[in-house]
């Protein structure tokens, strides 16, 4: 799908680094502590399950050497002062990959942990590799590209939020039963279950991407149903009037693949109440807590709002096209956990109802079908299941700098 555009010389560079790193890893002494690599969002942002799990390991597992893999073209590591960050594609990245005891990735080993490693994954037989997803699966069916197949076969564990998601990964992905573990979603550790806002004022708008839009010219993109229907909503007089009259604050988080077309959105009116943010300008993990409700189409961020019992409007203007081109695991006519809208009139009517006082999600009673845990122990369960619990004496030693007293 063209997620990353490599230089022509990149395969040869990767081959040289992999060969050298593997040879060096073979002669170096065993590390004193297990090395753990964590990555997500193609290394472009510190978000989702991967970031929450990395932060947990740094804080709670001093018995491990934990590293975050990041895209060197991004500057969030410096801004957020993320510890133990290693540039993707660097020699250190590949050396750590062959020395690591464990890796955890949110999207793909290829983009989150070690670029170009699909051709050499068979050379690493000892590292335990776990796919933790970027969010709960349910909407878009998985796209398995040729380079993904060896990586999926090599992955040791696929984490699941619940028996519901386990069924998707077993039946939809074809993951073997023995590779599926259910420990909950790490990202929910930073959320409070059943915590709706007293009133709905702050609205997060997130529309996901369509693969069939890749490669379009600017002119063709502006003629697409996706662009016309999305901008049509944000430029609709009734929608704008409701936002103005009820003094709502609307934040539109543009998908990262929207980078080429952002200026067309920023030219829309209503900017005093409707603000547009690129992928680099907004922290989704913060916004899902700050926002009082979500307006979306098919984004997995909607699960975070259900978990918090916050209202969701699903504006599914192209449901038939989505089901035809990509397919979904959820039954979009019978299993949604938020209000469904198929027209501008539906969106405005539902938004009016919600901002008039319906501040909770009426589908919250279904949350137990999708989430197995409603606590803040998802990261601990994941670490304990894959790595094993830390010994209490080791925790005490590293946190206090002293050894426990002799009995």
């Amino acid at each position: 799908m063209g997620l990353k555009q490599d230089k022509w010389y990149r395969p040869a560079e990767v081959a040289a680094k992999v060969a050298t790193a593997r040879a060096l890893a073979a002669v170096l002494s065993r590390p004193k502590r297990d090395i753990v690599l964590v990555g997500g969002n193609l290394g472009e942002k510190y978000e989702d399950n991967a970031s929450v799990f990395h932060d947990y390991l740094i804080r709670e597992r001093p018995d491990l050497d934990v590293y975050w893999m990041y895209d060197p073209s991004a500057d969030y590591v410096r801004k957020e002062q993320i510890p133990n960050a290693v540039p993707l594609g660097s020699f250190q990245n590949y050396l750590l990959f062959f020395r690591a005891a464990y890796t955890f990735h949110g999207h793909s080993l290829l983009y989150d942990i070690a670029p170009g490693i699909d051709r050499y994954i068979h050379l690493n037989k000892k590292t335990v590799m776990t796919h933790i997803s970027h969010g709960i699966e349910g909407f878009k069916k998985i796209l398995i590209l040729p380079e993904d197949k060896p990586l999926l076969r090599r992955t040791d564990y696929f984490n699941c939020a619940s028996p519901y998601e386990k069924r998707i990964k077993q039946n939809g992905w074809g993951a073997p039963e023995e590779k599926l573990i259910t420990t909950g979603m790490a990202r929910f550790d930073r959320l409070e279950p059943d915590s709706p806002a007293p009133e709905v004022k702050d609205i997060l708008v997130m529309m996901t991407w369509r693969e069939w839009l890749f490669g379009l010219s600017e002119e063709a993109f502006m003629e697409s149903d996706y662009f016309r229907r999305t901008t049509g909503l944000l430029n609709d007089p009734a929608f704008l009037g409701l936002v103005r009259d009820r003094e709502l604050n609307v934040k539109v988080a543009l998908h990262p693949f929207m980078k080429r077309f952002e200026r067309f959105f920023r030219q829309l009116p209503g900017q005093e109440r409707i603000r547009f943010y690129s992928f680099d300008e907004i922290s989704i993990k913060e916004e899902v807590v700050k926002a009082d409700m979500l307006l979306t189409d098919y984004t997995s961020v909607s699960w975070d709002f259900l978990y918090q019992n916050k209202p969701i409007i699903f504006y599914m203007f192209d449901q038939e096209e989505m089901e035809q081109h990509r397919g979904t695991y959820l039954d979009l006519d019978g299993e949604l956990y938020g209000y469904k809208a198929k027209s501008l009139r539906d969106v405005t009517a539902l938004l009016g109802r919600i901002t008039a006082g319906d501040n909770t999600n009426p589908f919250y009673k279904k949350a137990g079908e999708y989430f197995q845990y409603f606590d803040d122990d998802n990261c601990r369960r994941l670490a304990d299941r894959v790595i094993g619990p830390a010994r209490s004496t080791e925790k005490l030693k590293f946190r206090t700098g002293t050894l426990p007293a002799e009995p």
Side-chain angles (χ1 to χ4, degrees):
M1 292 192 301
L3 297 182
K4 293 282 189 179
Q5 301 299 322
D6 281 338
K7 304 292 185 181
W8 64 268
Y9 56 81
R10 193 73 70 200
E13 181 183 55
V14 170
K17 289 180 179 179
V18 165
T20 309
R22 182 170 177 248
L24 181 57
V27 299
L28 288 175
S29 59
R30 180 186 176 91
K32 294 181 179 180
R33 290 181 286 178
D34 282 342
I35 294 172
V36 182
L37 310 186
V38 186
N41 274 288
L42 288 67
E44 296 174 350
K45 207 168 185 182
Y46 199 62
E47 290 276 6
D48 298 332
N49 286 318
S51 69
V52 178
F53 188 59
H54 173 261
D55 180 66
Y56 168 84
L57 292 179
I58 290 291
R59 288 184 291 104
E60 301 294 333
R61 294 301 300 266
D63 56 313
L64 305 170
D65 277 332
V66 183
Y67 298 87
W68 175 258
M69 306 292 105
Y70 75 98
D71 185 333
S73 66
D75 63 352
Y76 68 90
V77 166
R78 177 186 57 82
K79 289 181 179 179
E80 299 183 46
Q81 298 184 336
I82 298 169
N84 295 0
V86 175
L88 284 163
S90 64
F91 177 74
Q92 184 186 13
N93 177 196
Y94 295 106
L95 180 60
L96 286 170
F97 176 74
F98 285 105
R99 301 194 77 206
Y102 306 93
T103 66
F104 295 85
H105 61 276
H107 286 77
S108 167
L109 275 160
L110 182 63
Y111 299 114
D112 297 339
I113 299 297
I117 205 62
D118 53 307
R119 299 181 182 182
Y120 311 101
I121 193 68
H122 63 284
L123 299 177
N124 185 332
K125 300 183 184 301
K126 70 177 184 64
T127 303
V128 176
M129 302 176 186
T130 303
H131 181 276
I132 59 175
S133 293
H134 64 283
I136 295 180
E137 305 297 334
F139 286 104
K140 296 180 179 181
K141 287 188 174 180
I142 187 174
L143 284 178
I144 302 178
L145 304 175
E147 61 267 27
D148 294 325
K149 292 180 180 178
L151 303 177
L152 290 171
R153 285 194 299 268
R154 176 61 182 83
T155 301
D156 296 283
Y157 296 112
F158 296 86
N159 189 43
C160 308
S162 62
Y164 158 80
E165 194 185 35
K166 181 180 178 180
R167 288 192 294 272
I168 288 177
K169 292 180 177 178
Q170 183 172 8
N171 302 324
W173 292 21
E177 169 93 28
E178 64 271 15
K179 289 189 174 186
L180 297 169
I181 57 176
T182 304
T183 69
M185 289 284 105
R187 62 195 278 172
F188 290 166
D189 281 359
R190 54 177 165 74
L191 302 178
E192 184 71 27
D194 195 9
S195 55
E199 61 177 341
V200 174
K201 287 292 186 181
D202 297 319
I203 302 167
L204 180 64
V205 178
M206 288 187 69
M207 298 295 180
T208 190
W209 184 249
R210 279 78 168 149
E211 304 75 50
W212 52 93
L213 299 178
F214 273 120
L216 291 185
S217 65
E218 290 185 351
E219 293 76 15
F221 177 77
M222 293 179 68
E223 290 298 318
S224 69
D225 190 48
Y226 175 81
F227 178 76
R228 289 187 292 106
R229 297 292 288 271
T230 303
T231 55
L233 165 66
L234 299 171
N235 200 24
D236 178 62
F239 178 83
L240 291 174
L242 184 61
V243 169
R244 180 189 63 248
D245 295 344
R246 297 200 173 166
E247 298 182 335
L248 307 178
N249 302 303
V250 180
K251 288 186 177 180
V252 182
L254 298 171
H255 194 278
F257 293 153
M258 197 77 70
K259 199 74 174 176
R260 290 174 51 212
F261 312 111
E262 285 181 1
R263 68 181 186 279
F264 300 120
F265 289 88
R266 296 181 189 274
Q267 295 169 1
L268 295 174
Q271 298 289 326
E272 67 278 1
R273 286 286 178 184
I274 302 177
R275 301 299 178 96
F276 294 85
Y277 297 87
S278 69
F279 181 70
D280 303 325
E281 295 173 331
I282 196 169
S283 171
I284 301 302
K285 65 185 177 185
E286 295 179 3
E287 294 304 324
V288 297
V289 176
K290 293 178 181 177
D292 303 327
M293 67 159 287
L294 175 70
L295 171 54
T296 186
D297 46 9
Y298 312 98
T299 180
S300 64
V301 170
S302 57
W303 297 108
D304 298 56
F305 283 80
L306 175 64
Y307 187 84
Q308 297 175 92
N309 192 12
K310 294 180 178 180
I312 307 166
I313 297 176
F314 290 103
Y315 181 33
M316 295 183 169
F317 52 83
D318 62 348
Q319 178 180 335
E320 292 78 11
E321 188 176 21
M322 174 62 74
E323 290 174 332
Q324 176 185 356
H325 283 282
R326 183 71 180 264
T328 64
Y329 297 112
L330 275 170
D331 177 356
L332 301 183
D333 293 319
E335 294 183 327
L336 285 181
Y337 42 87
Y339 298 106
K340 183 177 181 180
K342 298 198 76 172
S343 68
L344 287 178
R345 180 177 296 180
D346 290 345
V347 173
T348 304
L350 288 167
L351 185 62
R353 172 179 169 181
I354 291 169
T355 56
D358 285 354
N359 63 310
T360 61
N361 188 325
F363 302 88
Y364 185 68
K365 59 182 178 294
K366 299 176 65 174
E369 300 176 21
Y370 303 122
F371 314 130
Q372 181 159 346
Y373 304 103
F374 291 84
D375 55 26
D376 58 359
D377 278 338
N378 297 304
C379 288
R380 180 193 58 77
R381 275 188 293 268
L382 176 59
D384 289 355
R385 176 64 180 81
V386 177
I387 303 172
R391 297 195 300 273
S392 59
T393 53
E394 285 187 330
K395 281 191 174 184
L396 181 61
K397 173 184 174 181
F398 284 103
R399 286 179 178 172
T400 64
T402 60
L403 287 169
E406 291 293 334

